[in-house]
Amino acid sequence: MEKWSPATIREFRRTLLAWYDQEGRDLPWRHDHDPYHVWVSEIMLQQTQVQTVIPYYQCFMAAFPTVTALANAAEADLLKAWQGLGYYSRARNLQRAARQLVTDYHGQWPTTAATLQDLVGVGPYTACAIASIAFNEVVPAIDGNAFRVFARLLLIDADVAQPKTRQVFFDILQPIVDSQRPGDFNQAVMDLGSSYMTAKTPDPAHSPVRAFDASYRTDQVLAYPVKTKKPRPKLVPYYGLLVTSPAGDLLVQRSAQQMLAGYWTYPLIPKADLLPAEATTTPTLAADIAALEARWQRDYQLSVRFTPLGGRTVSQTYTHQRWQVSLLQAKLPTATPLTYFPGQWVATTQVADLPVPKVQEKMMRRWAQARAAVQ
DNA sequence: CACTCGTGGGT
DNA sequence: TACCCAAGAGT
């Protein structure tokens, strides 16, 4: 591992900030240092690329321009604003924290990384980012970019997939952060990490800090950062139920305990839930449909006949699961009341107003194709 | 600490 | 294709 002298550290800061002043990106949340703007952008940017965030950030600020507006927002509006951005608990936590700020803090922001972490959804990275950018606290904001950039510059061998490695980087970076411009220093590292020092296709030869890059000097750029691999997502088969009546399409809102909480989908039934685990026969489509119809009759007093929808399944890959959804179709001749079924009839024209996840959009497209083919 | 939680883009 | 990756945090 490399060790920089105080003189090298000074020269590195000067080089990095000079480049940032010339080449730093003009992003919507960099127009000022308002902590609300910094905070919302940092939450959106968690595990999400800048290009994806920009339009969401602009719409979000137009809809919820202040902490108070966010605290008072209707949940449906919030989920709709976050639709498609992923990691939806971020939206809920954002509003919970806005309410914390209004009620517990009386609109007065905590100004240190240590106290910012008391806001739900604000962890070690985001707290340091807000503290340095909005309040000039001299702390390193250690995210994936910082891991990648400094692992290469300094040949740091610690496994960045391990939680304890954050402290290793923090201790190394604390004396390197520019004490006059900590926020700009941290943002410059992020710009570096998303341009010359990307994960797969870096361009270290033209990096503004190539003279400080030990991995480039020793021709082992792609060997850093050291990161252990994660297991591949597990296949989870589902039935997706396309049920119509004169009242509209049948949709359910996902519970607070489920993934995609609060978002609406067609009823999704894990195939594993249909037949008892001790069943000896291999589940067939016909047996699954029979079990499904019997359950709807017994639990919901709904007489429904399902038929398979032709074509491929709908797939959606998440970090730890790969959903493979086989679509079944059913048509009820009358607007049957859903006395026991935990869902709603939604008129086709109103589906667009509901917050829906990507897998629901895919199911809707597949169904629209099937209906168009019949015509 | 290990696991969970979305989506889009790149190779 | 099937991976890997991207401004992480909560449990």
Side-chain angles (χ1 to χ4, degrees), chain A residues 351-374:
Chain A
V351 177
D353 297 331
L354 293 175
V356 298
K358 201 57 61 177
V359 65
Q360 172 65 15
E361 292 184 347
K362 290 179 182 175
M363 288 194 290
M364 290 192 292
R365 277 199 294 272
R366 180 58 46 82
W367 198 13
Q369 287 170 7
R371 283 193 281 202
V374 171

Side-chain angles (χ1 to χ4, degrees), chain A residues 277-325:
Chain A
E278 64 270 18
T280 51
T281 57
T282 308
T284 64
L285 178 61
D288 282 348
I289 288 177
L292 198 56
E293 291 172 348
R295 176 188 297 193
W296 279 44
Q297 185 62 245
R298 184 194 67 197
D299 294 346
Y300 312 131
Q301 298 180 16
L302 292 173
S303 301
V304 179
R305 300 300 304 267
F306 289 106
T307 56
L309 193 75
R312 300 200 319 280
T313 56
V314 165
S315 293
Q316 179 70 26
T317 303
Y318 303 103
T319 309
H320 291 87
Q321 299 178 17
R322 196 174 92 239
W323 289 10
Q324 194 170 69
V325 184

Side-chain angles (χ1 to χ4, degrees), chain A residues 114-258:
Chain A
T115 52
L116 281 161
Q117 280 194 70
D118 293 335
L119 298 173
V120 60
V122 176
Y125 160 74
T126 305
C128 289
I130 300 172
S132 63
I133 297 168
F135 302 113
N136 285 311
E137 185 178 357
V138 185
V139 284
I142 300 169
D143 66 339
N145 287 306
F147 277 137
R148 191 168 57 254
V149 167
F150 287 101
R152 287 174 180 169
L153 297 183
L154 297 169
L155 298 183
I156 302 171
D157 288 311
D159 179 2
V160 301
Q162 296 262 326
K164 63 182 179 183
T165 299
R166 169 178 300 281
Q167 188 62 46
V168 173
F169 276 71
F170 191 96
D171 294 340
I172 293 170
L173 291 186
Q174 180 65 66
I176 298 180
V177 176
D178 190 285
S179 59
Q180 303 304 306
R181 301 174 59 188
D184 287 346
F185 179 96
N186 285 328
Q187 294 186 90
V189 171
M190 297 173 202
D191 282 12
L192 204 52
S194 61
S195 57
Y196 295 99
M197 300 186 72
T198 57
K200 291 290 188 68
T201 56
D203 183 15
H206 301 97
S207 156
V209 297
R210 59 187 172 279
F212 304 85
D213 191 342
S215 72
Y216 175 55
R217 194 158 55 238
T218 57
D219 195 24
Q220 45 182 340
V221 172
L222 294 180
Y224 289 86
V226 175
K227 185 191 283 189
T228 53
K229 293 177 182 174
K230 294 179 178 176
R232 45 184 288 183
K234 199 185 79 177
L235 178 67
V236 185
Y238 276 91
Y239 285 116
L241 308 180
L242 314 174
V243 185
T244 57
S245 83
D249 300 343
L250 189 57
L251 281 99
V252 297
Q253 186 174 27
R254 296 178 64 80
S255 76
Q257 289 74 26
Q258 291 177 302

